[in-house]
Amino acid sequence: MIPYSFPNLQIIVLAAGQGTRMRSAKPKVLHQILGKSMLEHVLCSLEGLNARGLSIVLGHGAEVVQSVVSEKHYVTWVTQEEQLGTGHAVQQCSHVCESADHVLIVCGDTPLLRTGTLAALVRAHLDAASDISFLSAIQPVPQGYGRVCRSEAGDIRQIVEERDATDAQRMIQEVSSGIFCVRKSVLFDCLKAVDNGNDQGEYYLPGIVPVALQRGHRVDAVLMDDVDEMLGVNDRTQLRQATKILQNRIVEDWEKAGVSIEQPETVRIDVSVHLGMDTVIRAGSQLLGHTHIGDGCDIGPYAVIDRAWVDDGAKVLAFSHVQEAHVSMSSEVGPYARLRPQAHLDEGVKIGNFVEVKKSVIGQNSKVNHLSYIGDAEVGKNCNIGAGTITCNYDGANKHKTVVGDNVFVGSDTKLIAPVEVGSGATIGAGSIITRNVAEGGLTLTVRPEQRYVKDWKRATKN
């Protein structure tokens, strides 16, 4: 990313609205898109500008928004006690803009904005010595946006909100994004003259445009290259649309980086995911949170990897679930396996069908191939854990640990009643119930019931 620096710029993010069309108790800007809230997407793009300061205007759900954002981003907060429109919201920010020369105003529900697009607006504003600059776009179907009204000579006259526009104005295809860069002195002076004589009875920020023009100030529109970036999310349909656009971007970026993604329309890849070169992501897979996938991995189909680390050359096969776990190089998981938090597989480990591993370390080149549960355990190198083996780690009140040495063979359907240790080189016979420590080497098994045969016995039949 090109480094930007705007030391005389103060940024204001408008995030006070309730978002009633979302039909949610959650503040609108906290609804997530691919692992981040809409507001966090906006903040990440804005932080790349390296401005003097960044402030967020809060209203509905202010405490919740602060609790989510404060841990991750350095911002100052401004409260809009009454939601009287975007112009009124900006007026509340005069004190945070005192040391700036220019102010960039962005909406908190525009998660598709790129840093480069915002930088282009600010740079054009500064280079042209404009008093007001805003991002506009040509929309073939301009529904939902304010129209940019121009004179016959092409000069900007005003921005009319759709609900207040005439039929002729609604035919205009140039629309405003609602994103403004304004000279500070002009901004707060013109806001004083904006009235609320509109359908909503609100003070709209675009109202500064005709006021500024009347006072002889320069107003410019900067056309956006990608109209998708201006999409504001006001309901769940638009949330879905924004998610689809962002996912397409992510897929294309990873494809350019050497990742193969099969049937990408079925795949979810969050914004915080890292993928290595020559990795294949198969249909239906979901890569969530801060997941890291190394080079040359094979994922899916229909695998879910959530905040996990998968090293080079590993495979997570069909319908497997890996959550907050570590899969080392050349290991294989699945199909139909589950790694729960704090599971760690060393190099070359095989976790097979319907195996669950929780809070356990499985040593190098060991195998747990079928129908087993390994919890709160340490398993050494080169072990073979037979089908149906269970580490019985819970006594109804507390969890206990199982420790298995190197080169151990555990026969099928064995129960290891923790706390218990199995020495290196030991073999445990199938069907054993192990309640005491097992010595190194040799064969350990529990006494099995006598096998009986009843001659001439017949199964019951249905009437």
Side-chain angles (χ1 to χ4, degrees):
M1 181 182 293
I2 300 172
Y4 302 105
S5 179
F6 297 104
N8 296 318
L9 179 71
Q10 176 69 31
I11 301 172
I12 296 172
V13 181
L14 305 181
Q18 183 174 359
T20 54
R21 282 178 280 174
M22 295 296 289
R23 295 285 190 178
S24 174
K26 184 190 301 184
K28 179 176 72 169
V29 295
L30 293 187
H31 283 266
Q32 291 208 343
I33 295 178
L34 298 178
K36 284 185 181 179
S37 70
M38 289 194 286
L39 180 56
E40 287 179 287
H41 281 287
V42 173
L43 294 178
C44 286
S45 294
L46 291 171
E47 285 170 347
L49 298 176
N50 294 301
R52 175 179 292 275
L54 200 166
S55 299
I56 302 176
V57 182
L58 298 177
H60 176 73
E63 291 182 1
V64 180
V65 176
Q66 283 181 294
S67 67
V68 170
V69 173
S70 293
E71 297 178 0
K72 305 172 186 177
H73 304 273
Y74 180 74
V75 300
T76 56
W77 305 97
V78 177
T79 302
Q80 185 185 19
E81 297 293 348
E82 292 183 272
Q83 278 72 67
L84 300 178
T86 53
H88 177 262
V90 174
Q91 280 184 310
Q92 314 310 303
C93 300
S94 58
H95 63 288
V96 298
C97 299
E98 289 177 354
S99 60
D101 295 327
H102 302 272
V103 181
L104 176 66
I105 304 158
V106 178
C107 298
D109 61 358
T110 51
L112 300 178
L113 281 172
R114 291 186 171 102
T115 302
T117 300
L118 295 166
L121 169 64
V122 178
R123 179 53 56 202
H125 174 78
L126 297 175
D127 290 348
S130 295
D131 295 300
I132 298 176
S133 302
F134 62 92
L135 286 173
S136 70
I138 304 301
Q139 287 277 15
V141 182
Q143 184 176 359
Y145 295 97
R147 308 304 199 271
V148 179
C149 299
R150 295 178 180 267
S151 67
E152 292 183 1
D155 298 323
I156 295 171
R157 286 288 173 255
Q158 62 177 337
I159 300 171
V160 180
E161 294 296 319
E162 183 175 65
R163 62 172 62 92
D164 301 311
T166 64
D167 290 342
Q169 289 170 334
R170 287 177 180 168
M171 298 296 290
I172 297 171
Q173 292 185 322
E174 184 181 6
V175 299
S176 169
S177 66
I179 299 163
F180 286 78
C181 190
V182 188
R183 192 180 303 277
K184 182 193 69 175
S185 57
V186 172
L187 173 63
F188 292 102
D189 185 50
C190 289
L191 279 172
K192 295 174 184 177
V194 173
D195 62 38
N196 63 345
N198 52 65
D199 186 57
Q200 295 293 303
E202 294 183 349
Y203 298 92
Y204 294 146
L205 177 61
I208 63 175
V209 171
V211 174
L213 291 170
Q214 289 171 6
R215 296 179 180 182
H217 296 305
R218 176 169 179 167
V219 178
D220 291 310
V222 179
L223 275 173
M224 303 175 72
D225 293 330
D226 182 358
V227 297
D228 287 337
E229 290 188 53
M230 70 184 294
L231 178 64
V233 176
N234 294 300
D235 56 36
R236 295 185 189 257
T237 298
Q238 291 175 332
L239 188 70
R240 171 175 53 80
Q241 292 169 345
T243 301
K244 182 178 180 180
I245 292 168
L246 185 57
Q247 189 67 96
N248 287 338
R249 278 189 200 169
I250 291 170
V251 166
E252 290 176 4
D253 287 344
W254 284 121
E255 287 174 335
K256 292 173 184 176
V259 178
S260 294
I261 301 173
E262 298 180 353
Q263 299 182 34
E265 69 279 1
T266 69
V267 168
R268 169 171 169 164
I269 304 174
D270 278 359
V271 292
S272 299
V273 169
H274 170 83
L275 300 176
M277 187 170 60
D278 291 325
T279 282
V280 178
I281 308 300
R282 303 191 186 278
S285 295
Q286 296 195 19
L287 310 180
L288 311 176
H290 289 276
T291 285
H292 173 98
I293 309 291
D295 295 342
C297 294
D298 194 336
I299 308 298
Y302 297 96
V304 177
I305 304 182
D306 181 6
R307 293 162 290 165
W309 190 283
V310 179
D311 283 334
D312 297 352
K315 296 181 179 181
V316 180
L317 303 179
F319 298 98
S320 295
H321 189 179
V322 179
Q323 180 183 13
E324 298 180 47
H326 184 186
V327 180
S328 295
M329 290 178 62
S330 304
S331 289
E332 185 173 313
V333 178
Y336 295 98
R338 183 182 183 195
L339 302 187
R340 288 168 58 190
Q342 299 183 55
H344 175 91
L345 310 185
D346 283 347
E347 293 182 20
V349 168
K350 174 68 169 70
I351 301 296
N353 308 278
F354 303 103
V355 173
E356 180 178 350
V357 181
K358 169 254 178 185
K359 199 178 181 181
S360 297
V361 176
I362 310 296
Q364 188 175 7
N365 296 323
S366 289
K367 299 178 180 180
V368 190
N369 276 325
H370 319 281
L371 302 160
S372 296
Y373 171 71
I374 307 296
D376 297 281
E378 290 182 11
V379 177
K381 301 177 182 178
N382 302 308
C383 293
N384 188 92
I385 309 298
T389 296
I390 295 175
T391 57
C392 304
N393 57 336
Y394 185 51
D395 64 8
N398 300 296
K399 298 291 179 70
H400 301 281
K401 192 170 185 177
T402 298
V403 178
V404 178
D406 298 336
N407 302 300
V408 170
F409 183 97
V410 178
S412 298
D413 199 30
T414 293
K415 310 296 183 289
L416 299 168
I417 313 298
V420 69
E421 295 186 15
V422 179
S424 294
T427 298
I428 299 177
S432 295
I433 300 176
I434 303 300
T435 59
R436 299 190 301 272
N437 290 347
V438 174
E440 293 186 358
L443 171 65
T444 299
L445 69 164
T446 55
V447 177
R448 300 169 182 175
E450 178 185 356
Q451 183 169 314
R452 300 174 60 200
Y453 170 67
V454 180
K455 188 179 180 180
D456 298 329
W457 181 87
K458 295 184 182 299
R459 291 190 296 273
T461 58
K462 290 184 178 180
N463 294 326

